[in-house]
Amino acid sequence: MKDAQPKTIYLKDYREPAYWIDRTELEITLDEDSSTVEATLHVRLNEAQYSADKPLPALELQGVDLKLEAVWIDGETAAEARYQCLQDGLRVTAPAPLFELRTRCTIEPQNNTSLEGLYKSNGMFCTQCEAEGFRKITYYLDRPDVMSVFSCRINADKERYPILLSNGNETGRGDLDSGRHWVQWHDPFPKPAYLFALVGGDLQHVSDQFVTRSGRAVTLQLFTEPRNIGKCDHAIDSLKRAMRWDEEVYGREYDLDIFMIVAVDHFNMGAMENKGLNIFNSSCVLASPDTATDSSFQRIEAIVAHEYFHNWSGNRVTCRDWFQLSLKEGFTVFRDAEFSADMNSRSVKRIEDVSLLRTAQFAEDAGPMAHPVRPEAYMEISNFYTLTVYEKGAEVVRMIHHLLGADAFRKGSDLYFERHDGQAATVEEFVSAMEEASGVDLGQFRRWYEQAGTPRVEVTDRYDPEANSYTLSFTQSCPSTPGQKEKQPLHIPIAVGLLDDSGANVLPETTRLLNLTQTQQNFTFEGVTARPVPSLLRGFSAPVKLSYEYSDAQLAFLMANDSDGFNRWDACQQLCVRVLQRMAKHYLSGTPMEVDRILTAAFSQLLNAPVTDHAALESMLVLPAEAYLAEISDVVEVEANHAAREALANHLSAAFEPEFERLYQLSQLEGEYQPSASHMGCRSLKNAALAYLARASDRGIELAEQQYHLANNMTDRFRALAVLVHSEREAAEARSANSLNEFYNKFKNDPQVIELWLSVQASCQRKGALARVKALIQHDAFDSGNPNKLRSLIGVFCSQNTTGFHGGEGEGYRFLADQVIELDKRNPQIAARLIIPLTRWRKYPVARQQKMLEQLQRIFAQTLSADLYEVVSKSLQ
Ligand code: B3K
Ligand code: ZN
């Protein structure tokens, strides 16, 4: 636990450190009761900031939860007067501008429940150092601008920990007395401490090879507990595809002789890009057809690529300070999104990313923790690994790509990597490289990094039949966010197409990129012979909320005709949103919820057209999520949104039962499971059709049950299970209970499958949801020390099960508060994540607001970690 009131760190206060650490030699002895870390730091005065002739500044190292045993300076035991133990660090009086500091500390990894620093997961030692975990291993300048060449010697019991890994290349190994052994690693690339990693365990591995385009052979290894060894192939294949893609698209080759990945069960996030030794959450790397769904296969491909891409965008060029986090994360998310788009369906990938942005990132931008892509202040940096830094950050890079074009963007990235290789860089340096290589002025564009909040763009149009000209008028604005009242106009790239009444593109170049830079700006298109229908923000060319008064008929027209796949989907979403909003109003006024005929007609056309792209059709059948409906509401009416969505789904299922039956049948696949894009597309369409069929009649429930039992892969099995569990039909009740039992008994030893089992129940909106979740907390399947289990059960319940979480008299809020108060003592990072649904209290009707606030205040009255303190205090301001 930290102080009750953690201090705020500001970007404007950034200063270079007083010392650099050129080399870091670690000797780590792993043991059951306490482990020992001996660190030898080769320290050098930062002469750009301090003169060697003047009195030397003290060396201020960070350290948390360390027991200091001994200190040596230049090989001699240091007198106690030479150093001072602080609450969170060690102050050393420097003897000279250049000196060697050696410390010995002990730590207790087996008692480290924060999963930050060195800790144990299922008997295996592992580390997580980003952002500030290295200070829990040894005293250090734990900041990303201090880049050092690391070597690490690990010493452990040979039988328990036969595998000992760290970054770089293995340079030696040997046996010791009493059944112990040691392995020595050396990483030739200077890196900040947050990229350090160590693993010690009884692991097996699969091995492969990748030959780089310059002909170097790289060994690829994936380490897991022996029981998971059959689940590694997909990650290795994904890794090889990512390595090739980065060579082809960015000209980036891998640089060490070995690239290792380790899967661990207890991990606070998805994965970590430690140099040469990525550590992954098991659920983001292990997959087999029997145990992982298509979504997991795709997520694994994306995350393996993401972490690999960090080798350049993050490791070779790292961040100067944590305010620059999006420099590596936004850029790398953009890179992995383009990779996934190239490997799978481009428009479906875009739809998925935009859905996430619109539901979750826009909500963050409108909430109490809103911050710019490059934040200016934080209390706890762990709270800033956000959708804004990652996803909006990626959108900002995507806009640069739009503005420069692919070729100039590549020149810019080449310049950036070459100029800053081996350095800790800033967002400004990235943008400057893009600007210099392309000649495009990004002056105003830089505001995207500084301004929080989601911009709004309102569009009107005018057609002049005399002049054959068509004018679009844009007005941009941006709501205030905490600490940022006034907003400046942004440079917004808006991709526009115009459709004639046959649905053909009017513009010779199909799509035109408009540069909206002013608050109010017109764009005129000449030679337009009839009033067109505008297709605006094609491909979601900027992360804004754009509005134009389309008629329902125009949306249906775009849904059927737009050549831009993303905008076809978006027209469908927007039409559904309108219908759902009207239905929700009727629900609130107690009048019947009717579905507009135009929507039924549009779906009829959609469902009866020949199927060309299964995945794209499926994405149109998924109705706007309740989270999206909530985000676009001023006041969230949970029950009304849920009832409207249910009623619309039921209406479509009844109106189109034969069509869904046909789609279900035509999407059946023969033969072995393949995680290919086309097979995944078929399965997703088939399962969307199944969900509708199960609403339409008991026959659909029977089909789901049949599919559950006959499935030869987890996607079909799990989707069928979800249909049964979520169904409101009586015919599903017993079947749902039986299948859940059967599923549990079959997979109880597989943690990743059990996560699915927990999440499908946590998201079930049938009556009694909170009681079911409380019962599951007591179940053997649940483990409150494992973040995946917490996320699958508590996280899913509080963020997705809207009626369950918000229902009743605030019991859901109390439940979350109880969980978070307990959890904060063990794992503050996860506690601060889980609390987020409560912090959005301002969006709800007053009676709910009060109940949510009560719980936030109850939490705030406790002694909190810095993580939770920051999130809760900001939500109460
Ligand atoms: N860089 C890590 C995230 C670390 C989070 C620390 N709280 C994974 C990634 O974005 O690739
Ligand atoms: Zn990342």
Side-chain angles (χ1 to χ4, degrees):
M1 277 319 100
K2 308 194 179 155
D3 296 344
Q5 231 173 326
K7 66 173 194 296
T8 300
I9 319 277
Y10 295 94
L11 168 59
K12 64 176 167 43
D13 293 341
Y14 172 80
R15 301 282 175 279
E16 281 190 3
Y19 292 91
W20 304 110
I21 302 174
D22 294 324
R23 277 185 299 127
T24 302
E25 290 149 17
L26 300 170
E27 165 127 26
I28 302 187
T29 306
L30 301 174
D31 247 316
E32 302 315 302
D33 296 333
S34 76
S35 295
T36 308
V37 179
E38 228 173 79
T40 307
L41 313 183
H42 297 265
V43 181
R44 173 169 56 88
L45 183 71
N46 177 358
E47 293 201 36
Q49 302 291 323
Y50 295 88
S51 162
D53 305 330
K54 300 221 172 97
L56 294 170
L59 170 67
E60 307 256 5
L61 303 172
Q62 289 81 40
V64 171
D65 296 340
L66 305 173
K67 195 161 156 233
L68 183 64
E69 303 270 339
V71 180
W72 297 263
I73 293 174
D74 290 328
E76 305 282 328
T77 302
E80 286 203 3
R82 311 255 0 164
Y83 62 92
Q84 188 186 352
C85 263
L86 310 170
Q87 197 199 349
D88 281 343
L90 182 69
R91 181 178 295 140
V92 179
T93 307
L98 204 63
F99 68 103
E100 185 197 284
L101 174 73
R102 184 144 62 100
T103 58
R104 185 167 67 221
C105 302
T106 54
I107 50 179
E108 295 183 357
Q110 71 282 5
N111 296 328
N112 179 355
T113 55
S114 67
L115 313 188
E116 198 188 22
L118 178 63
Y119 65 94
K120 280 189 106 171
S121 168
N122 294 350
M124 157 194 346
F125 286 97
C126 60
T127 54
Q128 171 54 37
C129 294
E130 187 177 0
E132 297 180 336
F134 193 73
R135 62 188 63 183
K136 292 183 155 189
I137 297 176
T138 191
Y139 288 105
Y140 205 72
L141 287 174
D142 190 8
R143 43 186 290 169
D145 54 355
V146 172
M147 299 175 79
S148 185
V149 173
F150 278 70
S151 54
C152 178
R153 182 177 155 116
I154 315 165
N155 164 336
D157 183 89
K158 192 169 182 176
E159 202 176 307
R160 282 191 197 196
Y161 310 105
I163 300 291
L164 299 175
L165 310 173
S166 190
N167 317 85
N169 304 309
E170 187 184 313
T171 52
R173 62 166 62 226
D175 286 337
L176 299 162
D177 292 342
S178 51
R180 296 183 70 86
H181 70 146
W182 61 272
V183 179
Q184 172 92 30
W185 292 85
H186 177 74
D187 178 2
F189 293 95
K191 64 170 178 287
Y194 84 85
L195 290 172
F196 170 79
L198 171 155
V199 168
D202 184 3
L203 305 172
Q204 285 187 3
H205 71 274
V206 295
S207 211
D208 207 326
Q209 202 192 49
F210 178 83
V211 180
T212 68
R213 63 175 179 175
S214 68
R216 271 187 327 101
V218 179
T219 301
L220 312 177
Q221 292 180 331
L222 200 169
F223 291 82
T224 77
E225 292 170 42
R227 66 191 159 90
N228 289 324
I229 201 71
K231 293 185 178 181
C232 300
D233 294 353
H234 178 63
I236 292 277
D237 290 345
S238 304
L239 175 61
K240 289 195 284 190
R241 285 196 291 276
M243 293 176 90
R244 188 64 70 213
W245 187 90
D246 213 17
E247 293 185 345
E248 285 166 2
V249 180
Y250 281 85
R252 299 291 121 197
E253 249 187 61
Y254 187 62
D255 47 13
L256 287 162
D257 299 333
I258 184 163
F259 185 85
M260 296 172 285
I261 295 179
V262 181
V264 305
D265 281 353
H266 296 74
F267 209 61
N268 278 348
M269 64 273 172
M272 178 63 211
E273 70 265 24
N274 316 300
K275 182 80 188 186
L277 178 57
N278 287 359
I279 297 184
F280 271 64
N281 187 322
S282 298
S283 70
C284 296
V285 65
L286 302 175
S288 72
D290 293 342
T291 61
T293 61
D294 287 342
S295 318
S296 310
F297 272 87
Q298 278 183 322
R299 194 174 67 236
I300 289 167
E301 179 181 70
I303 299 183
V304 166
H306 178 99
E307 305 310 332
Y308 173 73
F309 296 154
H310 268 315
N311 190 52
W312 275 94
S313 48
N315 301 1
R316 287 287 286 259
V317 183
T318 192
C319 299
R320 187 193 73 173
D321 54 74
W322 292 121
F323 298 100
Q324 318 295 328
L325 183 57
S326 197
L327 174 70
K328 74 179 179 80
E329 296 304 348
F331 187 22
T332 306
V333 171
F334 172 70
R335 277 150 57 66
D336 85 56
E338 285 297 290
F339 166 74
S340 293
D342 283 347
M343 297 299 123
N344 302 288
S345 155
R346 180 161 282 272
S347 55
V348 172
K349 172 65 182 157
R350 192 69 190 127
I351 288 165
E352 286 166 3
D353 289 350
V354 173
S355 297
L356 175 68
L357 196 79
R358 271 185 178 162
T359 51
Q361 195 280 322
F362 284 11
E364 190 168 276
D365 251 349
M369 283 287 287
H371 54 277
V373 169
R374 184 186 51 212
E376 263 149 27
Y378 61 76
M379 288 180 187
E380 173 51 63
I381 186 56
S382 298
N383 287 329
F384 286 80
Y385 286 75
T386 58
L387 290 153
T388 301
V389 166
Y390 276 64
E391 310 301 324
K392 186 174 181 179
E395 293 298 315
V396 173
V397 176
R398 180 176 296 279
M399 287 190 283
I400 297 180
H401 192 275
H402 271 303
L403 293 172
L404 270 59
D407 291 344
F409 183 89
R410 168 65 195 271
K411 287 199 187 101
S413 79
D414 283 352
L415 179 62
Y416 167 72
F417 286 130
E418 271 141 41
R419 183 181 280 172
H420 298 291
D421 190 5
Q423 293 179 3
T426 60
V427 162
E428 174 52 36
E429 285 167 330
F430 176 79
V431 179
S432 296
M434 288 291 165
E435 214 167 27
E436 270 179 61
S438 66
V440 174
D441 177 1
L442 296 172
Q444 184 187 359
F445 185 85
R446 284 171 170 77
R447 286 182 189 152
W448 279 104
Y449 285 102
E450 294 153 15
Q451 269 185 199
T454 308
R456 290 169 197 276
V457 177
E458 270 155 43
V459 192
T460 57
D461 61 349
R462 190 162 34 83
Y463 179 65
D464 181 346
E466 311 278 280
N468 279 353
S469 74
Y470 177 68
T471 302
L472 286 171
S473 305
F474 293 81
T475 307
Q476 63 161 304
S477 61
C478 185
S480 303
T481 49
Q484 261 190 0
K485 210 161 172 332
E486 301 301 325
K487 307 282 178 175
Q488 305 292 317
L490 294 163
H491 180 174
I492 307 177
I494 301 199
V496 171
L498 304 178
L499 270 62
D500 68 16
D501 57 12
S502 76
N505 279 299
V506 170
L507 298 174
E509 71 272 43
T510 309
T511 301
R512 187 171 298 173
L513 195 69
L514 308 178
N515 284 284
L516 175 62
T517 53
Q518 295 157 27
T519 303
Q520 209 291 320
Q521 204 170 347
N522 295 345
F523 295 88
T524 297
F525 301 79
E526 306 292 352
V528 181
T529 53
R531 173 178 268 282
V533 176
S535 166
L536 301 164
L537 206 68
R538 278 186 162 171
F540 205 68
S541 59
V544 301
K545 289 186 177 179
L546 182 138
S547 58
Y548 169 84
E549 287 287 311
Y550 284 112
S551 65
D552 289 359
Q554 283 177 318
L555 286 175
F557 173 81
L558 287 170
M559 177 176 158
N561 295 295
D562 200 327
S563 62
D564 185 85
F566 174 82
N567 271 16
R568 273 202 306 280
W569 168 81
D570 199 25
C572 178
Q573 284 278 297
Q574 298 315 320
L575 185 57
C576 290
V577 163
R578 281 187 187 187
V579 169
L580 287 167
Q581 287 176 332
R582 287 176 206 144
M583 292 169 78
K585 262 201 194 123
H586 284 293
Y587 175 91
L588 289 172
S589 62
T591 46
M593 294 189 282
E594 270 159 26
V595 177
D596 302 61
R597 292 170 67 138
I598 197 155
L599 182 76
T600 314
F603 269 78
S604 172
Q605 197 178 346
L606 184 68
L607 292 167
N608 286 297
V611 181
T612 47
D613 182 341
H614 291 72
L617 175 56
E618 187 266 348
S619 63
M620 292 174 92
L621 298 180
V622 178
L623 300 179
E626 282 181 52
Y628 181 49
L629 297 174
E631 204 291 310
I632 58 179
S633 314
D634 293 329
V635 178
V636 184
E637 295 291 352
V638 172
E639 284 77 14
N641 287 345
H642 179 68
R645 198 172 180 278
E646 283 292 295
L648 178 54
N650 288 338
H651 166 82
L652 294 174
S653 71
F656 300 111
E657 194 175 359
E659 284 83 353
F660 288 123
E661 176 79 38
R662 185 179 66 88
L663 292 176
Y664 184 70
Q665 298 308 342
L666 72 77
S667 312
Q668 299 289 340
L669 291 165
E670 297 292 321
E672 281 208 350
Y673 172 88
Q674 279 178 38
S676 64
S678 70
H679 278 207
M680 289 192 195
C682 278
R683 277 188 292 274
S684 69
L685 181 58
K686 176 179 72 182
N687 286 304
L690 178 66
Y692 279 107
L693 287 172
R695 287 176 180 274
S697 68
D698 287 350
R699 200 187 102 66
I701 298 291
E702 283 156 24
L703 268 186
E705 190 187 28
Q706 203 179 62
Q707 176 175 314
Y708 172 83
H709 288 293
L710 297 180
N712 74 346
N713 63 80
M714 183 49 84
T715 305
D716 286 342
R717 189 185 303 281
F718 182 67
R719 293 289 299 266
L721 178 69
V723 163
L724 294 174
V725 172
H726 292 173
S727 174
E728 297 277 353
R729 298 187 84 83
E730 224 180 285
E733 242 169 65
R735 290 179 164 99
S736 153
N738 291 342
S739 315
L740 278 171
N741 273 339
E742 205 266 350
F743 191 91
Y744 179 72
N745 288 326
K746 197 180 201 125
F747 296 108
K748 60 174 174 244
N749 296 323
D750 189 313
Q752 282 94 60
V753 187
I754 292 308
E755 286 157 27
L756 291 172
W757 184 80
L758 291 170
S759 69
V760 74
Q761 296 177 81
S763 58
C764 170
Q765 292 186 262
R766 288 208 308 239
K767 272 207 183 65
L770 179 59
R772 287 194 299 274
V773 169
K774 285 184 172 169
L776 284 167
I777 285 192
Q778 306 302 328
H779 196 285
D780 283 351
F782 186 71
D783 168 7
S784 62
N786 185 319
N788 290 359
K789 300 283 187 338
L790 292 162
R791 280 184 284 254
S792 320
L793 187 59
I794 301 171
V796 168
F797 173 70
C798 299
S799 62
Q800 291 174 32
N801 196 332
T802 54
T803 48
F805 178 58
H806 294 281
E809 291 302 308
E811 292 87 349
Y813 309 148
R814 194 170 318 122
F815 164 75
L816 178 57
D818 288 344
Q819 295 298 322
V820 162
I821 289 170
E822 265 317 294
L823 183 58
D824 191 44
K825 300 176 186 137
R826 291 176 281 118
N827 189 331
Q829 281 184 19
I830 301 292
R833 295 260 151 170
L834 288 182
I835 197 64
I836 285 173
L838 264 187
T839 67
R840 304 274 160 81
W841 59 273
R842 283 193 174 82
K843 292 279 287 190
Y844 293 86
V846 177
R848 276 196 177 138
Q849 287 194 1
Q850 272 159 2
K851 297 196 173 80
M852 295 170 97
L853 265 174
E854 256 168 49
Q855 297 307 321
L856 284 167
Q857 277 153 353
R858 183 160 75 88
I859 297 172
F860 200 55
Q862 318 279 322
T863 305
L864 301 179
S865 66
D867 308 59
L868 193 56
Y869 180 93
E870 176 167 38
V871 176
V872 174
S873 65
K874 287 184 176 171
S875 78
L876 289 172
Q877 268 162 25

